[in-house]
Amino acid sequence: MKLAKRVASLTPSSTLAITAKAKELKAAGYDVIGLGAGEPDFNTPQHIMEAAVKAMYDGHTKYTPSGGLATLKEEIIKKFQQDQQLDYKPSEIIVCVGAKHALYTLFQVILDEGDEVIIPTPYWVSYPEQVKLAGGVPIYVEGLEQNEFKITPEQLKQAITDRTKAVIINSPSNPTGVIYTKEELQALGEVCLAHDVLIVSDEIYEKLVYGGHEHVSVAQLSPELKKQTIIINGVSKSHSMTGWRIGYAAGDADIIRAMTDLASHSTSNPTSIAQYAAIAAYSGSQEPVEQMRQAFEERLNIIYDRLIQIPGFSCVKPQGAFYLFPNAKEAATMTGYESVDAFVEALLEEAKVALVPGSGFGAPNNVRLSYATSLELLHQALDRIATFVNEKTRG
């Protein structure tokens, strides 16, 4: 049977591909260290799991409203008020089956065939695929490494056409871990206001910020920018709840209504039990969130210093998330490989360390290394990478 054109053009996820290859080698008995993880290595906090169990025994195992439980929406509203001093109404919030689903649903309701979405590179792998699935056209703007991978207002202006519908801002970023400052967001926001471009602000890593830096939402900066912005967030990264699949979008009531209508015909509703767990995540103690953040910051500072000592690697130090995104082009050349992709493949086959090639993120000279694993394994992985590079260089 012939498949639909919309799926024929999809690019498989590079993160899933490298994870699958690493698992295949592990299953064959090899000692593989996988650094491709896009999720915290901590379990969900105890009080959240207990709330889910209680919800089941209390009979909360039925359908919920398509846009999410009213109680959960209220907790999300409180979170916005407390963290960003932003006021939203329940009609301006939709709870989805993860932040990825929130993004997918958003693009489905705002894009017509041929509409353009500006995507800064490096980008999270699913942004362009979701835009294409909605009939849109990804327009890539390169975030230069010398500018910490961040795009400028001038670059944004040059990319805007009469078909531009939205721009995606991901801060802190996956895969780079960099954060846009308040001033940088203000400048980008002014361009969007002047050209009536919707801002899609992916803030899923907002709680994982290091080195005294702060997360700022573009929606905080003015009432006009709040109206122009759809915030995407969730509990996956902040509360180590990736498998629970609870995310949400906040913004214009008409867009949220359309997203809710679409969700009613696709998912019916987010899982009831997971929603009660998310209520506990936001209403309960935030101490586990801070403990996890501190652990990631400790790992970052140790591992970053080690990585940049390996010949052929250079790296912009991340300010958030849990990834390093070093440039490995010189390392690939030194070791005799024509591309970073080939270098990554050889590293997995010979040194048994799984990194994600940057080509999947629109940055073919880089690799993504997740430090969402133990320090012990991170040290072992860097030992193997250093040995691999040194032996290949000498040999």
Side-chain angles (χ1 to χ4, degrees), residues 10-163:
L10 288 178
T11 303
S13 167
S14 57
T15 54
L16 294 181
I18 199 74
T19 300
K21 179 64 175 176
K23 286 181 177 178
E24 182 182 315
L25 287 170
K26 278 187 177 181
Y30 293 100
D31 177 22
V32 176
I33 301 175
L35 301 182
E39 59 183 351
D41 55 314
F42 301 89
N43 199 9
T44 303
Q46 186 71 23
H47 72 279
I48 297 173
M49 294 190 290
E50 289 173 356
V53 173
K54 184 176 185 300
M56 286 188 282
Y57 281 109
D58 287 347
H60 299 306
T61 57
K62 310 299 181 183
Y63 291 126
T64 76
S66 293
L69 290 166
T71 309
L72 178 51
K73 287 189 179 187
E74 288 299 330
E75 290 300 332
I76 293 168
I77 288 168
K78 289 177 188 175
K79 173 246 174 293
F80 276 122
Q81 291 170 336
Q82 178 178 319
D83 291 352
Q84 280 107 11
Q85 297 76 55
L86 286 169
D87 291 320
Y88 287 101
K89 301 172 184 175
S91 60
E92 297 172 316
I93 304 284
I94 177 176
V95 182
C96 297
V97 187
K100 182 182 284 189
H101 177 238
L103 283 162
Y104 177 88
T105 307
L106 172 64
F107 292 132
Q108 290 292 323
V109 304
I110 66 169
L111 297 180
D112 285 318
E113 197 74 28
D115 283 346
E116 296 173 352
V117 177
I118 296 172
I119 303 176
T121 67
Y123 50 75
W124 178 52
V125 294
S126 291
Y127 292 146
E129 307 309 318
Q130 292 191 351
V131 169
K132 289 187 287 186
L133 282 169
V137 180
I139 303 297
Y140 303 109
V141 176
E142 184 180 6
L144 297 174
E145 199 159 349
Q146 56 264 39
N147 193 43
E148 296 185 326
F149 298 109
K150 293 182 276 192
I151 66 168
T152 65
E154 291 71 26
Q155 287 179 295
L156 180 57
K157 284 179 194 173
Q158 291 174 4
I160 293 173
T161 72
D162 58 0
R163 296 307 303 268

Side-chain angles (χ1 to χ4, degrees), residues 172-174 176-177 205 208-210 296 300 318-323 371:
S173 161
N174 174 7
T176 67
Y205 291 97
L208 299 177
V209 175
Y210 319 117
F296 281 134
L300 166 62
Q319 299 141 7
F322 40 71
Y323 310 106
Y371 49 92

Side-chain angles (χ1 to χ4, degrees), residues 132-308:
K132 289 187 287 186
L133 282 169
V137 180
I139 303 297
Y140 303 109
V141 176
E142 184 180 6
L144 297 174
E145 199 159 349
Q146 56 264 39
N147 193 43
E148 296 185 326
F149 298 109
K150 293 182 276 192
I151 66 168
T152 65
E154 291 71 26
Q155 287 179 295
L156 180 57
K157 284 179 194 173
Q158 291 174 4
I160 293 173
T161 72
D162 58 0
R163 296 307 303 268
T164 303
K165 199 67 173 282
V167 61
I168 300 173
I169 296 176
N170 179 207
S171 177
S173 161
N174 174 7
T176 67
V178 300
I179 298 172
Y180 281 89
T181 67
K182 179 180 178 181
E183 293 74 22
E184 289 166 340
L185 289 172
Q186 184 74 52
L188 293 173
E190 293 301 329
V191 174
C192 293
L193 287 173
H195 294 84
D196 193 25
V197 173
L198 183 70
I199 302 167
V200 180
S201 184
D202 184 347
E203 304 179 12
I204 193 69
Y205 291 97
E206 64 156 337
K207 295 294 184 182
L208 299 177
V209 175
Y210 319 117
H213 294 277
E214 66 170 337
H215 168 264
V216 177
S217 173
V218 65
Q220 291 175 254
L221 302 182
S222 72
E224 294 76 21
L225 283 170
K226 178 174 179 281
K227 291 178 184 177
Q228 199 75 12
T229 301
I230 298 290
I231 294 177
I232 305 293
N233 209 329
V235 294
S236 291
K237 316 296 184 179
S238 60
H239 293 78
S240 198
M241 295 176 66
T242 51
W244 298 81
R245 308 314 303 137
I246 295 293
Y248 51 87
D252 178 83
D254 289 337
I255 292 176
I256 297 300
R257 185 182 307 111
M259 292 175 69
T260 304
D261 289 345
L262 178 56
S264 73
H265 291 293
S266 57
T267 57
S268 290
N269 60 267
T271 302
S272 60
I273 300 152
Q275 289 187 69
Y276 282 96
I279 290 169
Y282 279 145
S283 63
S285 171
Q286 301 305 300
E287 185 177 348
V289 176
E290 175 58 16
Q291 290 173 343
M292 185 169 65
R293 190 203 66 78
Q294 290 178 10
F296 281 134
E297 183 164 20
E298 178 189 14
R299 294 177 193 175
L300 166 62
N301 290 330
I302 294 171
I303 297 307
Y304 174 80
D305 289 342
R306 282 210 58 195
L307 178 71
I308 58 175

